[in-house]
Structures are given as C-alpha cells and as structure tokens.
Amino acid sequence: MYTYNIESFLAGHTFAFLLLLCRIGAFLMVVPGFGEKFVPVRIRMVFACLICLLIVPPFASLMPPIPQSTALLAVIIFKEMLIGVFFGILVRMLLLTLDAAGAVIGMHSGLSNANTMNPALMSQSQLPSTFLTMSGIVMIFVIGLDHYLIKTLIALYNSFPVSDAPLMLGDMSKTVMTTASRTFSFGASLAAPFFVIGLLIYATTGIIQRLLPSIQLFFLMLPIQIWGGLALMLLTVSVILSLWVQFFENSVSTFFL
C-alpha cells in the first residue's frame, strides 16, 4: 500500500516555491513596468508570490532535491537571484533606448535645458526622454508585452534550469555590453529625422548669420526650432513607439528563448 508523506510533499513544494521566488522576484524588481520606483516593493513582491504559487505545481518536479549543505543552498539561491537580476537589467536597458532617443531629440529641438523628473529613471531627464520612456511603459501594458515577459521568463527555465552549476559570467558580461551598444545605436536611429532637421536649421542659421552679423539670429531661431521640433515629434512619435515595440519584442525573444 502506498503511503503519502505529506511532510516531504510540503517541504519539496516550499523549497520549489522559494527558488521560483528568488528568480521571478528578482526579475520583477528590475524589469520595466513592474520594477519602477513608484511601484511599492510590497506590491511587487505580492505579485511575484502569486505568480510563483500558480506555477509551483508543474515546476516542483523540475527542482533539484533539497541540499543538505547550507553553503550549497546559498549558492543556488544566489545564482537564481543573479539570473533574475541579469535578465531584468537586459530588459531595462531596452527601455533606455527611448531615453537615448529622447536625449537626441531634445538636443536637436532646443529642449536640452528643459528638464523634468522622470519617474521611470527617478532622475532629471529632458522632456522628450521623460515623455518617451513613460509612453514606452504604457505601451508594455497596453499591447500585452507584460504577459509576454512573464511567459518568456517561465520559458527561461528550459534554458537555465535550477542547479548548482557555475554561470557563464564572461558571456553574461559580453551580452550586457552588446545590448548597451545595440540600444544606444537603435535609440540614435529612432531620432534620425531630428538629426537631419537640426543640421538644416543650424546650417541655415549659420549662413544667414554670416550675411547679417548684426542680428542675433540664434536667439530669434530658437522659438522656431522648438516649435519645429515639437511638430516633428508629433508626426513621428507613433512611428518611434511602433519601431521600439518591435525592437523590444525581438530583443526579449533573443534574450529568453
């Protein structure tokens, strides 16, 4: 007759729940949308606990046995937290693409000195950067990228199973540097129309200033530059966000799958 050991069952599921919480909780503390500074930490942890409770039954069998050594347990927990923070930072860097694009837009539209508090970065940013980063966070929830992030995070256990094997720290650091380079270059490409308009405005202003040196033309052209930059941003913001969403989705699938 089969004897069901409720004590070992609860111990195994509790251990699995804690390991899942280490990775998923660390990920949600950093990832855009969930890991913003204006979201209370308790709410983030409650959301992480709810996700772990939902997935712990099918994932309990995939977890390693409870280690007998405290040092080995600490190594596994630290590894899970490091994996969650690592992939959360990669996704966070994708949001910084919009911040880089906003900085370029502000520089070429005369708004480089118009700074405001950016809730996504908890620091002072230019107005275009604040607008684009907050719009990016809204887009994550509007089009369902938050569900996509959770699904890909769960699928990550196929590529990075829970174990005490050492992590490839060299490849991880290389991935961070490559992602930083890609995000900055893509952010600059999103602001390419503003490069062209800014160059035309500065070249035209310089030529006219040489012809009329007695007139402070740069001060007269500043309102035109600001209004022109705002008008161009109004025309291109939908395209910028659409291209960024595609870049975000493709990059996340590259990271996780």
Side-chain angles (χ1 to χ4, degrees):
M1 181 178 179
Y2 177 75
T3 303
Y4 189 78
N5 193 340
I6 187 65
E7 182 178 355
S8 61
F9 174 80
L10 292 177
H13 278 65
T14 303
F15 178 67
F17 173 80
L18 293 177
L19 289 183
L20 290 172
L21 184 61
C22 289
R23 181 183 297 191
I24 295 176
F27 178 79
L28 293 180
M29 288 293 171
V30 185
V31 71
F34 301 101
E36 307 303 331
K37 297 297 183 180
F38 52 83
V39 180
V41 178
R42 293 181 180 178
I43 294 179
R44 283 180 270 175
M45 287 305 300
V46 168
F47 188 70
C49 290
L50 292 176
I51 295 177
C52 295
L53 284 175
L54 291 175
I55 66 175
V56 69
F59 277 84
S61 59
L62 302 178
M63 297 298 167
I66 301 177
Q68 302 299 324
S69 172
T70 306
L72 183 59
L73 177 61
V75 169
I76 295 176
I77 291 176
F78 177 77
K79 177 185 173 182
E80 290 301 300
M81 295 178 63
L82 184 61
I83 292 175
V85 171
F86 170 70
F87 284 99
I89 289 176
L90 290 181
V91 180
R92 169 68 60 176
M93 293 173 65
L94 300 179
L95 182 65
L96 297 180
T97 303
L98 295 176
D99 182 70
V104 175
I105 292 173
M107 180 177 62
H108 288 279
S109 60
L111 297 173
S112 56
N113 293 326
N115 295 326
T116 184
M117 185 65 184
N118 191 340
L121 305 177
M122 294 303 293
S123 62
Q124 295 287 330
S125 297
Q126 300 177 16
L127 282 176
S129 297
T130 303
F131 173 74
L132 289 178
T133 51
M134 295 306 297
S135 300
I137 294 175
V138 172
M139 292 293 293
I140 289 176
F141 291 97
V142 168
I143 66 176
L145 286 178
D146 53 333
H147 298 169
Y148 181 69
L149 286 175
I150 296 174
K151 291 179 181 178
T152 51
L153 177 62
I154 295 174
L156 183 65
Y157 282 93
N158 297 326
S159 303
F160 289 83
V162 180
S163 65
D164 57 347
L167 292 174
M168 297 177 290
L169 298 179
D171 293 340
M172 293 171 67
S173 60
K174 183 179 179 180
T175 303
V176 171
M177 291 185 292
T178 303
T179 304
S181 176
R182 289 179 60 243
T183 53
F184 181 79
S185 60
F186 186 75
S189 64
L190 289 178
F194 294 87
F195 276 113
V196 178
I197 297 301
L199 179 62
L200 292 176
I201 291 177
Y202 288 132
T204 304
T205 305
I207 294 174
I208 298 177
Q209 185 68 61
R210 294 290 295 178
L211 297 176
L212 302 171
S214 60
I215 300 176
Q216 297 295 330
L217 194 61
F218 283 97
F219 292 100
L220 298 178
M221 291 294 294
L222 183 59
I224 300 176
Q225 182 182 6
I226 293 175
W227 281 105
L230 292 176
L232 183 60
M233 187 172 181
L234 179 64
L235 295 175
T236 59
V237 64
S238 60
V239 179
I240 291 175
L241 292 177
S242 299
L243 294 176
W244 176 79
V245 166
Q246 296 178 6
F247 173 74
F248 185 92
E249 187 174 359
N250 295 333
S251 299
V252 168
S253 61
T254 303
F255 295 152
F256 291 83
L257 303 178

